[in-house]
Every structure is written in structure tokens, then in C-alpha cells.
Amino acid sequence: MTILFSVVVLTYARDQILADCLTRLATCLGPRDDYEVILVDNNAERGTRDALLAPFAHHQYLFSGGNKGVHARNDGFDAARGEYVVLLDDDVMVETPAMLDLFAARFAEDERLGAITVRKHVRGETRRRVDLIPHTRKDVDLTQPFLTFRFVGGCVAFRTACLREVGGFLPDFFYGLEEIELSYRIIDAGWRIRYDPAVSCEELEHPDGRDAKKRVQTQRLANKYIISYLRMPFPEVLVNAALFTPYLLLRQRGQASVTGAVRQFLNWRKRDGRPERKAISRRTAAYIRECGGSVWR
């Protein structure tokens, strides 16, 4: 038996929602046996979550022993046996039964396609969520596929060879915007990212397992400073530093501490062993513009 897909699910403090997520996944994918499910458990206690994998013919259970943050997904990446890795959040419900076949077809069409980001909506939301749009332009037509330069988390497929080349999520990010940093490395290595609405999913944005909103938004702002410093070229990095903070504060209506975010960024800069700045190349910046994007954002 050849494992073509490895579906990696990271979970923390969402046992009932996780059960619903895996039940929906098993129902959608049916009896096919060319995939495995890898459950990465960030809870402090083992519990009985591994029993939720019983419906899947091929599965792995990886126990973290504590909340390592979002980069614990890398444990699943390292254990993956498939040619493709599908990253699925524990509060996301797959809506497309043909999801794996569609992913396989898209990857077969383009040997340099490194990742596929899908159409995602939040349960109960009717407004257009700009944070779920994998582009700096928020007026793009989400009913049509397009090449892009960043992916949105929740449900995303990777070519395993791409992850092996560029690496997974940085341990510098406990939570928030980690997808953008990995996207920079993917496109800078010459891989492409595609948005495809043929695959859709529903995200619950369940509050269990999440920190207080102000701390989360402050952490996201600090992460944005780190990502801009690490990957954004000059002079766009200066424009971003000047404009992103007021933009985020306007959107969040003061629900983030700029002082706290700056302090977190400066503390990160002092850390031993942190990644060195390696801005994207001018070729990569040109690719972003060809996709209709803005480098400074």
C-alpha cells in the first residue's frame, strides 16, 4: 500500500471539536486507503484522543506532552509518509469529498507547485473576512483559482518535497501569522502557491484552546514585526514598519498593545540562536508583483 497523502491535525484543548473534525474527515474521504492521518497532540495529558483515529486505516499518534504552539505541526511533517501533506486544524470541517483527488490533480499539473490554499469560511459569518484571503489585495475574485504568494491556515496542502527543502514552521512563533513567514520561504525557493476554491472548508474559530484576545493580537503584531524583519526586502520593510501598526490598530480597535509587541520583538532580537535576517530576493519580489500583490504588505 502506497501512502499518497499525510493529513496532519494539531490539537489542543478541543476534544469534542476534534472528534467532530475527524468524523467529518472520515465521512468525506470515505473508504479510500491511500492516506494516513497524523494526530499531533499538544495537550499535557494523553487522554484517549488516539482512539479517535480508529476509523482511519493508516494513522499515527504523536504526543507532545505539553503545548508547544503551532510549530508542533513540524512533528507531523517529519513523520509524514505521503508525497503530499495536508495540514488541517482541529476546528476545521472539510466540505469537499473529492479534496485529495483535486489536490493530486493540481500538483500533477505543475511540478513547481509547492502549496495549495483553499476557500475557507467561518461558521455564522456573512461578511467578507479579509484575513481569510490569501493575497494582499482583498478584492480578488474568490470564486476563481489564482497563483498567489501566501497561504491561509486551517486547511492547506503541501508537496512534501517542498517542505523538506524549505523546512516547516519556525519555533519562534507560538501562535499567529506563522503561515506568512513560511510562505515567504516557499516562494523564495522558487515554489509556487495556488489558491483553489474547488476545495472548501468551514472553520469554527472555537474559543477553546485560545488565549485572551488582546494577548493574541499583541502576539500577532510582534510576529508581524519579526516576519517583516526576517523576510521583507529593503526599502519595503521600512514602509511596512511605518504603516502596518496603525493599520492593525484601526482594524482591531485598540485590542493590541503596541508597547507589548515592540517589547516582544526586541526580546526576540536579543535571543541567542534566533534566525538571521534573510530577505526575499528581487526575483521573488517580482513574482509577488506578477501575482498582483504588494511587497511592502
Side-chain angles (χ1 to χ4, degrees):
M1 181 59 232
T2 299
I3 300 295
L4 188 60
F5 288 93
S6 296
V7 182
V8 175
V9 182
L10 174 65
T11 190
Y12 174 70
R14 286 177 174 164
D15 285 2
Q16 184 54 58
I17 303 302
L18 171 67
D20 294 343
C21 166
L22 294 178
T23 298
R24 174 72 69 86
L25 180 66
T27 301
C28 264
L29 300 186
R32 64 188 299 159
D33 63 355
D34 61 345
Y35 74 98
E36 64 177 347
V37 174
I38 303 174
L39 181 60
V40 182
D41 187 350
N42 255 6
N43 289 282
E45 302 293 334
R46 292 181 70 97
T48 58
R49 297 171 200 93
D50 56 334
L52 298 173
L53 298 172
F56 304 103
H58 310 286
H59 57 261
Q60 300 183 57
Y61 174 72
L62 307 179
F63 181 60
S64 300
N67 190 1
K68 294 166 58 176
V70 293
H71 76 273
R73 295 165 178 156
N74 295 345
D75 296 343
F77 294 164
D78 292 341
R81 295 177 289 172
E83 185 177 347
Y84 310 110
V85 172
V86 179
L87 183 61
L88 185 68
D89 283 0
D90 60 356
D91 66 340
V92 169
M93 307 296 158
V94 174
E95 297 180 321
T96 308
M99 176 179 74
L100 298 187
D101 289 329
L102 288 167
F103 284 151
R106 300 297 178 262
F107 281 120
E109 292 167 358
D110 182 355
E111 65 180 11
R112 292 304 295 173
L113 184 61
I116 302 172
T117 186
V118 308
R119 189 165 193 175
K120 187 171 71 168
H121 64 93
V122 175
R123 180 175 293 182
E125 284 275 13
T126 56
R127 62 193 173 99
R128 184 179 172 95
R129 284 281 299 268
V130 296
D131 57 318
L132 303 185
I133 300 174
H135 206 284
T136 52
R137 279 185 52 194
K138 303 308 179 183
D139 61 345
V140 292
D141 184 357
L142 296 176
T143 67
Q144 300 297 318
F146 52 80
L147 283 178
T148 185
F149 43 89
R150 62 176 56 170
F151 66 87
V152 173
C155 180
V156 57
F158 300 96
R159 192 186 297 271
T160 305
C162 173
L163 288 176
R164 298 281 189 261
E165 178 181 343
V166 306
F169 295 102
L170 292 185
D172 304 72
F173 305 114
F174 186 81
Y175 172 81
L177 305 185
E178 67 279 356
E179 299 96 345
I180 295 178
E181 193 282 327
L182 179 52
S183 295
Y184 275 131
R185 281 185 280 131
I186 288 173
I187 60 174
D188 203 43
W191 296 93
R192 286 182 281 274
I193 301 173
R194 175 189 173 101
Y195 165 77
D196 198 326
V199 178
S200 67
C201 62
E202 177 187 53
E203 181 163 7
L204 304 188
E205 288 194 340
H206 201 275
D208 287 354
R210 296 194 178 204
D211 206 342
K213 187 171 183 179
K214 186 166 185 175
R215 282 197 293 270
V216 167
Q217 294 303 331
T218 300
Q219 187 173 61
R220 285 169 63 89
L221 181 55
N223 289 350
K224 180 63 175 177
Y225 293 151
I226 294 170
I227 293 166
S228 297
Y229 169 81
L230 284 176
R231 309 298 176 214
M232 197 164 282
F234 184 85
E236 286 88 348
V237 62
L238 300 181
V239 179
N240 179 269
L243 297 182
F244 182 78
T245 298
Y247 165 74
L248 181 127
L249 289 177
L250 179 64
R251 280 191 54 206
Q252 298 300 330
R253 303 183 187 279
Q255 294 188 43
S257 168
V258 175
T259 303
V262 170
R263 186 182 303 115
Q264 288 182 37
F265 171 71
L266 293 177
N267 288 339
W268 172 84
R269 284 266 290 146
K270 296 175 185 174
R271 270 181 32 198
D272 293 333
R274 64 164 177 79
E276 295 297 321
R277 171 173 163 81
K278 184 181 182 300
I280 59 171
S281 68
R282 283 298 159 189
R283 175 187 56 79
T284 303
Y287 166 76
I288 292 174
R289 295 187 184 98
E290 288 168 9
C291 291
S294 299
V295 178
W296 71 268
R297 295 174 63 184

